[in-house]
Amino acid sequence: MNTQIFESLTRFTSRAAVPIVVIGGLAVGTAAMLFTGAAEATLLNDPGPYVRFGLPAAKFVFNLSMAMTLGALMFALLILPRTQGRGRKTKATTAAATSGTSDEAPLNALWEKTLKIAEVASVAWTISAVAVLVLTFVDTVGAQAYLDFSNQLGVFLTQIAFGQLWTLIVVLIAVASTLCFGTRSYLGIAVAGVLGVGVMIPLALMGHSAEASGHTQAVNSIGLHLLGVTIWLGGLFVIALLGSDLARSNQLRTTIERYSSFALIAFAIVAYSGVVNSLLRVHDLDDLMSPYGQVIVAKTFAVILLGLVGFWHRQFVIRRLGAVASATREFWRLIVVEFTIFGATMGLAVALSRSQPPVSQEPVGNPSPAEILTGEPLPPPPTFARYFTEWSLDPLWVVVAVGLSAAYILGFINLRRRGDTWPIHRLICWLLGMIFLVYVTSGGARVYGEIQFSAHMIQHMLLIMVVPLPMVLGAPITMLMRGTKARTDGSRGVREWVLWLVHTPYMRFFANPVFASVNFAGSLVIFYYSGVMKYALEWHLGHELMIIHFLGAGYLFAQALIGIDPGVKRPAYPLRLLMLLITMAFHAFFGISIMSSEVLIEGDWFGNIGADWGYSAIEDQQLGGGIAWGVGEFPTLFIAIMVAFQWSKSSDREAKRVDRREARTDDAELRAYNDMLATMAQRDSKADHRSR
């Protein structure tokens, strides 16, 4: 009887999942648009009701199919085993799985079914993306779009930034969909997943005016919000569609436990990013009482309900799955409730994207030169104190720092609980590195780095020379290896993927001490003298890529010199000191070259900020050169001390090892050496005697 009830519940959930979300989302979204006035016809050049209602519906299907596609890829990459059978994989099996060769165990039926879900969903994602592109064109141009439709659409796709971004989105989705159909290797599916997540970048860039205040917070919070919702909802769809298969293979509880961890992270990201984004559009209680604000309240309430359902799952249901029939029934009923709430939440989100917020998202009238360039008001004159009191939070790096800190602390607690030791100073170093990372990306160095060359240099030097040092000393890869359990069913979790990445030939090349040193020093010259800096100043994506590159360059350089994590073949200690001296000498010459330069670097930016305080642009640039030279001295000294300290400890360990070996062998090696010398002396003595 219990089996029949379970089968009926799983069949109902799997069949009803998509209709529940679609019907509920479209109904709630339509009602919300009518409530906020987003569905009303415009006074001039209205595109018509088919576009006014069709575009939100297409966006809804787009978001839904995106969640299903990426959720299925997440399950294939991080939750389900790829091949049949259990046990650890050998190196040959792992290589075959990565390359897609056939000399391995048969593919797991659940894994293949998951990719079938990704295939179907990716087709719907591609079609809905094309529909959104065309409807967005008509919505942008208005009724005039129907006159000479094809030529105007071509101009929109090739010459208008909005159309170019949507064209890029369609191409990325189409390639990801092709990979879902064309490959069954881990690497191919991983590339499809990366391309799918990459779609969120142009989506986030289109979600806020590039000239409006709070651009960084808006773009990054939208991107994080999309990522969190996709992980959360997409995983639910996969569980619903695979429910009976998971139960028959006795993988239901394990799968849900793994997904639950990702869902918890996704909930935290959705809640945080939603608050950040809402605060840019609703400033006070009056704004909250507007139709737009009331929809935000309704969406917030729905997210809280989803969080409570997830909490109930983790605390009272998951641990009893499979053992108690009532728990299984309760689980599937809660899944239906989650789908219902999720559908309403997505409908509200689409309605918000089509509604006018009470706080204008357009640039202010008569903007200052700083506002034209940076999108932000000119900050007050910089002082030492203001470098610590002026903040402009970057939600992306706050999430990265807090998430990595929480993961490290969790690993530390796991080690202590099972009786293993982990040096407390490594935990402190890691947390210190995360604090530095938040400051560099959100504190005064970032605020003034957008308008002053010297402040930008401070941010840059901290990012490449200071932040990585405590991170490397925290030994995060070693913590990951010791603080998390290895998968034994053939699947790959975060631990397995990170270790795979660390040991790939590509990463070994980038982590090679010679390349790491060249990259560390050469990146400075390329960034400041080749014109690349322009893109980091003008483009949001360029700024984020700059942070990633220089943080990575500094981390790999420090890892090659003072790190203990695997994946790097470090040179002997004298060579490490030589590498450090050569690199720092090059770094000093770089700073001196900027100090002595009379040509303004990125003069179109720093020369037109319009600040009525501080040095002139060229004087500030020369000050930045001095900062580049001076700031590097302290990290260099610290690294040199650490290399010497590690060298000393290594010598002590070697001496103790030799002493222990001699004690075990009763100085056999020394006696053999003395006997050899005695034999040589005897031979020389006989030779001298014969020569006489």
Side-chain angles (χ1 to χ4, degrees), residues 608-675:
N608 293 313
I609 286 294
D612 56 358
W613 40 257
Y615 300 104
S616 66
I618 190 64
E619 291 173 336
D620 184 70
Q621 177 177 299
Q622 292 169 350
L623 175 62
I627 291 172
W629 183 16
V631 170
E633 300 301 320
F634 298 102
T636 301
L637 179 61
F638 177 80
I639 294 176
I641 293 173
M642 287 300 303
V643 171
F645 177 72
Q646 291 179 352
W647 191 358
S648 175
K649 288 184 65 178
S650 176
S651 299
D652 291 342
R653 286 194 298 268
E654 179 64 21
K656 291 178 181 178
R657 187 183 65 81
V658 172
D659 290 342
R660 286 194 299 269
R661 185 179 62 192
E662 291 178 350
R664 288 195 306 268
T665 60
D666 194 22
D667 289 342
E669 185 176 344
L670 179 61
R671 285 189 283 104
Y673 180 71
N674 290 334
D675 291 343

Coordinates of all heavy atoms in Angstrom, one line a residue, residues 608-675:
N608 N 39.3 63.8 -16.9 CA 38.0 64.4 -17.0 C 37.1 64.1 -15.9 O 35.9 64.3 -16.0 CB 37.4 63.9 -18.3 CG 38.1 64.4 -19.6 OD1 38.5 65.6 -19.6 ND2 38.4 63.5 -20.5
I609 N 37.6 63.7 -14.7 CA 36.7 63.4 -13.6 C 36.1 64.7 -13.0 O 35.0 64.7 -12.5 CB 37.6 62.7 -12.5 CG1 37.8 61.2 -12.9 CG2 36.9 62.7 -11.1 CD1 36.6 60.4 -13.0
G610 N 36.8 65.8 -13.1 CA 36.3 67.1 -12.7 C 36.3 67.3 -11.2 O 35.5 68.1 -10.6
A611 N 37.1 66.6 -10.4 CA 37.2 66.8 -9.0 C 37.9 68.1 -8.7 O 38.9 68.5 -9.3 CB 38.0 65.7 -8.3
D612 N 37.4 68.9 -7.8 CA 37.9 70.2 -7.4 C 38.9 70.1 -6.2 O 39.1 71.1 -5.5 CB 36.8 71.2 -7.2 CG 35.9 70.8 -6.1 OD1 36.0 69.6 -5.6 OD2 34.9 71.5 -5.8
W613 N 39.3 68.9 -5.9 CA 40.2 68.7 -4.8 C 41.4 67.8 -5.3 O 41.2 67.1 -6.3 CB 39.5 68.2 -3.6 CG 38.5 67.1 -3.9 CD1 37.2 67.3 -3.8 CD2 38.7 65.7 -4.2 NE1 36.5 66.1 -4.2 CE2 37.5 65.1 -4.4 CE3 39.9 64.9 -4.4 CZ2 37.3 63.8 -4.7 CZ3 39.7 63.6 -4.7 CH2 38.4 63.0 -4.9
G614 N 42.4 67.7 -4.5 CA 43.5 66.8 -4.8 C 44.5 67.3 -5.8 O 44.5 68.5 -6.2
Y615 N 45.4 66.4 -6.2 CA 46.5 66.8 -7.1 C 45.9 66.9 -8.5 O 44.8 66.4 -8.8 CB 47.6 65.8 -7.1 CG 48.3 65.6 -5.7 CD1 48.0 64.5 -4.9 CD2 49.2 66.6 -5.3 CE1 48.7 64.4 -3.7 CE2 49.9 66.4 -4.1 CZ 49.6 65.3 -3.3 OH 50.2 65.2 -2.1
S616 N 46.7 67.4 -9.4 CA 46.4 67.3 -10.8 C 46.5 65.9 -11.3 O 47.0 65.0 -10.6 CB 47.3 68.2 -11.7 OG 48.6 67.7 -11.6
A617 N 45.9 65.6 -12.5 CA 45.9 64.2 -12.9 C 47.3 63.6 -13.1 O 47.5 62.5 -12.7 CB 45.1 64.1 -14.2
I618 N 48.2 64.4 -13.6 CA 49.6 63.8 -13.9 C 50.3 63.7 -12.5 O 51.1 62.7 -12.3 CB 50.3 64.7 -14.9 CG1 51.6 64.1 -15.3 CG2 50.6 66.1 -14.2 CD1 51.4 62.8 -16.0
E619 N 50.1 64.6 -11.6 CA 50.7 64.5 -10.3 C 50.2 63.3 -9.5 O 50.9 62.6 -8.9 CB 50.5 65.8 -9.5 CG 51.2 67.0 -10.0 CD 50.8 68.3 -9.2 OE1 49.7 68.3 -8.7 OE2 51.7 69.2 -9.2
D620 N 48.9 63.1 -9.7 CA 48.3 61.9 -9.0 C 48.8 60.6 -9.6 O 49.0 59.6 -8.9 CB 46.7 62.0 -9.1 CG 46.0 60.9 -8.4 OD1 46.1 60.9 -7.1 OD2 45.5 60.0 -9.0
Q621 N 49.0 60.6 -10.9 CA 49.5 59.4 -11.6 C 50.9 59.2 -11.1 O 51.3 58.0 -10.8 CB 49.5 59.6 -13.1 CG 50.2 58.4 -13.8 CD 50.1 58.6 -15.3 OE1 49.0 58.7 -15.9 NE2 51.2 58.7 -16.0
Q622 N 51.8 60.2 -11.0 CA 53.1 60.0 -10.5 C 53.1 59.5 -9.0 O 54.0 58.7 -8.6 CB 53.9 61.3 -10.6 CG 54.2 61.7 -12.1 CD 54.7 63.1 -12.3 OE1 54.7 63.9 -11.3 NE2 55.1 63.4 -13.5
L623 N 52.2 60.0 -8.2 CA 52.0 59.5 -6.9 C 51.6 58.0 -6.9 O 52.1 57.2 -6.1 CB 50.9 60.3 -6.2 CG 50.5 59.8 -4.7 CD1 51.7 59.9 -3.8 CD2 49.4 60.6 -4.2
G624 N 50.8 57.6 -7.9 CA 50.5 56.2 -8.0 C 51.7 55.4 -8.3 O 51.8 54.2 -7.9
G625 N 52.6 55.9 -9.1 CA 53.8 55.1 -9.4 C 54.6 54.9 -8.1 O 55.2 53.9 -7.9
G626 N 54.7 56.0 -7.3 CA 55.4 55.8 -6.0 C 54.7 54.8 -5.1 O 55.4 54.0 -4.4
I627 N 53.4 54.8 -5.2 CA 52.7 53.8 -4.4 C 53.0 52.4 -4.9 O 53.2 51.4 -4.1 CB 51.2 54.1 -4.4 CG1 50.8 55.3 -3.7 CG2 50.3 52.9 -3.9 CD1 49.4 55.8 -3.8
A628 N 53.0 52.2 -6.2 CA 53.3 50.9 -6.8 C 54.7 50.4 -6.3 O 54.9 49.2 -6.1 CB 53.3 51.0 -8.3
W629 N 55.7 51.4 -6.3 CA 57.0 51.0 -5.8 C 57.1 50.7 -4.3 O 57.6 49.7 -3.9 CB 58.0 52.1 -6.2 CG 59.4 51.9 -5.9 CD1 60.0 50.7 -5.6 CD2 60.4 52.8 -5.8 NE1 61.3 50.8 -5.4 CE2 61.6 52.2 -5.5 CE3 60.5 54.2 -6.1 CZ2 62.8 52.8 -5.4 CZ3 61.7 54.9 -6.0 CH2 62.9 54.2 -5.6
G630 N 56.4 51.6 -3.6 CA 56.6 51.5 -2.1 C 55.7 50.4 -1.5 O 56.2 49.7 -0.6
V631 N 54.5 50.2 -2.0 CA 53.6 49.2 -1.4 C 54.2 47.8 -1.5 O 54.1 46.9 -0.7 CB 52.2 49.3 -2.0 CG1 51.4 48.0 -1.6 CG2 51.5 50.5 -1.6
G632 N 55.0 47.6 -2.6 CA 55.5 46.3 -2.9 C 56.6 45.9 -1.9 O 56.9 44.7 -1.8
E633 N 57.2 46.8 -1.2 CA 58.4 46.5 -0.4 C 57.9 45.7 0.8 O 58.6 44.7 1.2 CB 59.0 47.8 0.1 CG 59.6 48.7 -1.0 CD 60.6 48.0 -1.8 OE1 61.4 47.3 -1.2 OE2 60.6 48.2 -3.0
F634 N 56.8 46.0 1.4 CA 56.4 45.2 2.6 C 56.0 43.8 2.3 O 56.4 42.9 3.0 CB 55.2 46.0 3.3 CG 55.6 47.4 3.8 CD1 55.3 48.5 3.0 CD2 56.4 47.6 4.9 CE1 55.6 49.8 3.4 CE2 56.8 48.8 5.3 CZ 56.4 49.9 4.6
P635 N 55.1 43.5 1.3 CA 54.8 42.1 1.0 C 56.1 41.4 0.6 O 56.2 40.2 0.9 CB 53.8 42.2 -0.2 CG 53.2 43.6 0.0 CD 54.3 44.5 0.5
T636 N 57.0 42.0 -0.1 CA 58.2 41.4 -0.6 C 59.1 40.9 0.7 O 59.6 39.8 0.7 CB 59.1 42.3 -1.4 OG1 58.3 42.7 -2.6 CG2 60.4 41.6 -1.9
L637 N 59.2 41.8 1.6 CA 59.9 41.5 2.8 C 59.2 40.4 3.6 O 59.9 39.4 4.1 CB 60.0 42.7 3.7 CG 60.7 42.5 5.1 CD1 62.2 42.1 4.9 CD2 60.6 43.8 5.9
F638 N 57.9 40.4 3.6 CA 57.2 39.3 4.3 C 57.4 38.0 3.6 O 57.6 37.0 4.3 CB 55.7 39.7 4.4 CG 54.8 38.6 5.0 CD1 54.7 38.5 6.4 CD2 54.1 37.7 4.2 CE1 53.9 37.6 7.0 CE2 53.3 36.8 4.8 CZ 53.2 36.7 6.2
I639 N 57.3 38.0 2.3 CA 57.5 36.7 1.6 C 58.9 36.2 1.8 O 59.1 35.0 1.9 CB 57.2 36.9 0.1 CG1 55.7 37.2 -0.2 CG2 57.6 35.7 -0.7 CD1 55.3 37.5 -1.6
A640 N 59.9 37.1 1.7 CA 61.3 36.7 1.9 C 61.5 36.1 3.3 O 62.2 35.0 3.5 CB 62.2 37.9 1.8
I641 N 60.9 36.7 4.3 CA 60.9 36.1 5.7 C 60.3 34.7 5.7 O 60.8 33.8 6.3 CB 60.3 37.1 6.7 CG1 61.1 38.3 6.8 CG2 60.2 36.4 8.1 CD1 60.5 39.4 7.7
M642 N 59.1 34.6 5.1 CA 58.4 33.3 5.1 C 59.2 32.2 4.3 O 59.3 31.1 4.8 CB 57.0 33.5 4.4 CG 56.0 34.2 5.2 SD 55.7 33.4 6.8 CE 55.2 31.8 6.3
V643 N 59.9 32.6 3.2 CA 60.7 31.6 2.5 C 61.9 31.2 3.4 O 62.2 30.0 3.5 CB 61.2 32.2 1.2 CG1 62.3 31.3 0.5 CG2 60.1 32.5 0.2
A644 N 62.5 32.2 4.0 CA 63.6 31.8 4.9 C 63.2 30.9 6.1 O 63.8 30.0 6.5 CB 64.3 33.1 5.5
F645 N 62.0 31.3 6.6 CA 61.4 30.5 7.7 C 61.1 29.0 7.3 O 61.5 28.1 8.0 CB 60.2 31.2 8.3 CG 59.5 30.4 9.4 CD1 60.0 30.3 10.6 CD2 58.3 29.8 9.1 CE1 59.4 29.6 11.7 CE2 57.6 29.0 10.1 CZ 58.2 29.0 11.4
Q646 N 60.5 28.9 6.1 CA 60.2 27.6 5.6 C 61.5 26.8 5.3 O 61.6 25.6 5.5 CB 59.3 27.7 4.4 CG 57.9 28.2 4.7 CD 57.0 28.3 3.5 OE1 57.5 28.1 2.3 NE2 55.7 28.5 3.6
W647 N 62.5 27.5 4.8 CA 63.7 26.9 4.5 C 64.4 26.3 5.8 O 64.9 25.2 5.8 CB 64.6 27.9 3.8 CG 65.9 27.4 3.2 CD1 66.3 26.1 3.2 CD2 66.9 28.1 2.5 NE1 67.5 26.0 2.6 CE2 67.9 27.2 2.2 CE3 67.0 29.5 2.2 CZ2 69.0 27.6 1.4 CZ3 68.2 29.9 1.5 CH2 69.1 29.0 1.1
S648 N 64.3 27.1 6.8 CA 64.9 26.7 8.1 C 64.1 25.5 8.6 O 64.8 24.5 9.1 CB 64.8 27.9 9.1 OG 65.2 27.4 10.4
K649 N 62.8 25.5 8.5 CA 62.0 24.4 9.0 C 62.3 23.1 8.2 O 62.4 22.0 8.7 CB 60.5 24.7 9.0 CG 60.1 25.7 10.1 CD 58.6 25.9 10.0 CE 57.9 24.6 10.4 NZ 56.4 24.8 10.4
S650 N 62.5 23.3 6.9 CA 62.8 22.2 6.0 C 64.1 21.6 6.4 O 64.3 20.4 6.4 CB 62.7 22.7 4.6 OG 63.1 21.6 3.7
S651 N 65.1 22.4 6.6 CA 66.4 21.9 7.0 C 66.4 21.2 8.3 O 67.0 20.1 8.5 CB 67.4 23.1 7.1 OG 67.5 23.8 5.9
D652 N 65.6 21.7 9.3 CA 65.4 21.0 10.6 C 64.8 19.7 10.4 O 65.2 18.7 11.0 CB 64.6 21.9 11.5 CG 65.3 23.1 12.0 OD1 66.6 23.2 11.8 OD2 64.7 24.1 12.5
R653 N 63.7 19.6 9.6 CA 63.1 18.3 9.3 C 64.0 17.3 8.7 O 64.0 16.2 9.0 CB 61.8 18.5 8.4 CG 60.7 19.2 9.2 CD 59.4 19.0 8.4 NE 59.5 19.7 7.1 CZ 59.1 21.0 6.8 NH1 58.6 21.7 7.8 NH2 59.2 21.5 5.6
E654 N 64.8 17.8 7.7 CA 65.8 16.9 7.0 C 66.8 16.4 8.0 O 67.2 15.2 8.0 CB 66.4 17.7 5.9 CG 67.5 16.9 5.1 CD 66.8 15.7 4.4 OE1 65.6 15.7 4.2 OE2 67.6 14.8 4.1
A655 N 67.3 17.3 8.9 CA 68.3 16.9 9.9 C 67.7 15.9 10.8 O 68.4 14.9 11.2 CB 68.8 18.1 10.7
K656 N 66.5 16.0 11.3 CA 65.8 15.1 12.2 C 65.6 13.7 11.4 O 65.8 12.7 12.0 CB 64.5 15.6 12.7 CG 64.6 16.8 13.6 CD 63.3 17.3 14.1 CE 63.4 18.5 15.0 NZ 62.1 19.0 15.4
R657 N 65.3 13.8 10.1 CA 65.1 12.6 9.4 C 66.4 11.8 9.3 O 66.4 10.6 9.4 CB 64.5 12.9 8.0 CG 64.1 11.7 7.1 CD 63.7 12.1 5.8 NE 64.8 12.7 5.0 CZ 65.7 12.0 4.4 NH1 65.7 10.7 4.4 NH2 66.7 12.6 3.7
V658 N 67.5 12.5 9.0 CA 68.8 11.9 8.9 C 69.1 11.3 10.2 O 69.7 10.1 10.3 CB 69.8 12.9 8.4 CG1 71.2 12.3 8.5 CG2 69.5 13.3 7.0
D659 N 68.9 12.0 11.4 CA 69.2 11.5 12.7 C 68.5 10.2 13.0 O 69.0 9.2 13.5 CB 68.9 12.5 13.8 CG 69.9 13.7 13.7 OD1 71.0 13.5 13.1 OD2 69.6 14.8 14.2
R660 N 67.1 10.2 12.6 CA 66.3 9.0 12.9 C 66.8 7.8 12.1 O 66.9 6.7 12.5 CB 64.9 9.3 12.6 CG 64.2 10.2 13.6 CD 62.7 10.1 13.4 NE 62.3 10.6 12.1 CZ 61.9 11.9 11.8 NH1 62.0 12.8 12.8 NH2 61.6 12.2 10.6
R661 N 67.2 8.1 10.8 CA 67.7 7.0 10.0 C 69.0 6.4 10.5 O 69.2 5.2 10.5 CB 67.9 7.5 8.6 CG 68.3 6.4 7.5 CD 68.5 7.0 6.2 NE 69.5 8.0 6.2 CZ 69.7 8.8 5.2 NH1 69.0 8.8 4.1 NH2 70.7 9.7 5.2
E662 N 69.9 7.3 11.0 CA 71.2 6.9 11.5 C 71.0 6.1 12.8 O 71.7 5.1 13.1 CB 72.1 8.1 11.8 CG 72.6 8.7 10.5 CD 73.4 9.9 10.8 OE1 73.5 10.4 11.9 OE2 74.0 10.4 9.8
A663 N 69.9 6.5 13.6 CA 69.7 5.8 14.8 C 69.2 4.4 14.5 O 69.5 3.4 15.2 CB 68.7 6.5 15.7
R664 N 68.3 4.3 13.5 CA 67.8 2.9 13.1 C 68.9 2.0 12.6 O 68.9 0.8 12.8 CB 66.7 3.1 12.1 CG 65.4 3.7 12.6 CD 64.3 3.5 11.6 NE 64.6 4.0 10.3 CZ 64.3 5.2 9.9 NH1 63.7 6.1 10.7 NH2 64.6 5.6 8.7
T665 N 69.9 2.6 11.8 CA 70.9 1.7 11.2 C 72.2 1.7 11.9 O 73.2 1.2 11.4 CB 71.1 2.3 9.8 OG1 71.6 3.6 9.8 CG2 69.8 2.2 8.9
D666 N 72.2 2.3 13.1 CA 73.4 2.4 13.9 C 74.6 3.1 13.1 O 75.7 2.5 13.1 CB 73.9 1.0 14.4 CG 74.9 1.0 15.5 OD1 75.0 2.1 16.1 OD2 75.7 0.0 15.6
D667 N 74.2 4.2 12.5 CA 75.2 4.9 11.7 C 75.8 4.1 10.6 O 77.0 4.3 10.3 CB 76.3 5.5 12.6 CG 75.8 6.6 13.5 OD1 74.7 7.2 13.2 OD2 76.4 7.0 14.5
A668 N 75.0 3.2 10.0 CA 75.6 2.4 9.0 C 76.1 3.2 7.8 O 77.2 2.9 7.2 CB 74.5 1.4 8.5
E669 N 75.4 4.3 7.4 CA 75.8 5.1 6.3 C 77.2 5.8 6.6 O 78.1 5.8 5.7 CB 74.8 6.1 6.0 CG 75.1 6.9 4.8 CD 73.9 7.9 4.4 OE1 72.8 7.7 4.9 OE2 74.2 8.8 3.6
L670 N 77.3 6.3 7.8 CA 78.6 6.9 8.2 C 79.7 6.0 8.2 O 80.8 6.2 7.8 CB 78.4 7.6 9.6 CG 79.6 8.4 10.1 CD1 80.1 9.5 9.2 CD2 79.4 8.9 11.5
R671 N 79.5 4.7 8.8 CA 80.5 3.7 8.8 C 80.9 3.3 7.4 O 82.1 3.1 7.2 CB 80.1 2.6 9.7 CG 80.1 2.9 11.2 CD 79.8 1.7 12.1 NE 78.4 1.3 12.1 CZ 77.9 0.3 11.4 NH1 78.7 -0.5 10.7 NH2 76.6 0.0 11.5
A672 N 79.9 3.2 6.6 CA 80.3 2.8 5.2 C 81.1 3.8 4.5 O 82.0 3.5 3.8 CB 79.0 2.5 4.4
Y673 N 80.8 5.1 4.8 CA 81.5 6.2 4.2 C 83.0 6.2 4.7 O 83.9 6.4 4.0 CB 80.8 7.5 4.5 CG 81.5 8.7 4.0 CD1 81.5 9.0 2.6 CD2 82.2 9.6 4.8 CE1 82.2 10.1 2.1 CE2 82.8 10.7 4.3 CZ 82.8 11.0 3.0 OH 83.5 12.1 2.5
N674 N 83.1 6.0 6.1 CA 84.5 5.9 6.6 C 85.3 4.8 6.1 O 86.5 4.9 5.8 CB 84.4 5.8 8.2 CG 83.9 7.1 8.8 OD1 84.0 8.2 8.2 ND2 83.3 7.0 10.0
D675 N 84.6 3.6 5.9 CA 85.3 2.4 5.3 C 85.7 2.7 3.9 O 86.8 2.3 3.5 CB 84.4 1.2 5.3 CG 84.1 0.7 6.8 OD1 84.9 1.1 7.7 OD2 83.1 0.0 6.9

